[in-house]
Amino acid sequence: MSTPQGMTEADRRIVAVWAADCAERVLPLFESEAPDDDRARDAIARTRAFARGELTVAGEIRRRFVAGRAARSAVTPAGTAAARSAAQAAGVAHMGAHALGAAAYAAWAVELKHPEAPDARAAEVRWQLAHLSPDAAAALRTLPPLGTDPAGPLGPGLLSSGPLGEVIREIQAHLSSAVG
């Protein structure tokens, strides 16, 4: 990829597994609201297939927006965030930085679902970090800090502000302080 947010294809396949794991944890929040809409589940399955080398980058680039449209089927902000997590996971085939978007939307979905639990988002981020493989962590460390590169999902925009930006900054801070 021509942007630092892209990663090599091999690294995108590695971080796709983690992005799918993050999105799959919150998938029930979406499916409980839209049980007949399989676009988010399909996006996660395709992300896993991409990670295994069964799908091409070009094919997934063409399909990457399908899961995002599923968010319209959700009836709550938590369900919407869960669908967007799946969409971000599907976007990893195109650009590796979307893995952080998948994690951020998943953590936000948990926070939105449990407003009475002030630690819900932090607990989800802890789970995400605990389930990050060493190879995926190394690949994610190659990404520029949130907001420093305008050419991709980590540039200015939705992922760089509010709860999504907070989650991504927390993950990136953890990655930069962790021993490789």
Side-chain angles (χ1 to χ4, degrees), residues 46-165:
R46 284 193 341 268
T47 302
R48 293 193 187 287
F50 170 76
R52 293 187 301 267
E54 298 167 5
L55 298 175
T56 66
V57 172
E60 291 312 291
I61 287 173
R62 283 191 296 276
R63 287 189 289 267
R64 72 185 184 275
F65 297 115
V66 173
R69 290 190 288 271
R72 293 185 218 136
S73 297
V75 295
T76 68
T80 299
R84 288 184 177 153
S85 178
Q88 288 286 317
V92 170
H94 172 245
M95 195 171 279
H98 285 292
L100 292 173
Y105 271 111
W108 193 27
V110 169
E111 178 180 31
L112 290 166
K113 181 65 177 175
H114 302 286
E116 76 291 348
D119 192 45
R121 182 175 79 190
E124 187 65 16
V125 172
R126 284 192 299 273
W127 181 93
Q128 293 170 348
L129 292 170
H131 289 83
L132 186 60
S133 73
D135 288 340
L140 290 172
R141 277 188 202 98
T142 68
L143 294 172
L146 184 65
T148 62
D149 175 27
L154 298 180
L158 191 57
L159 291 181
S160 67
S161 62
L164 300 172

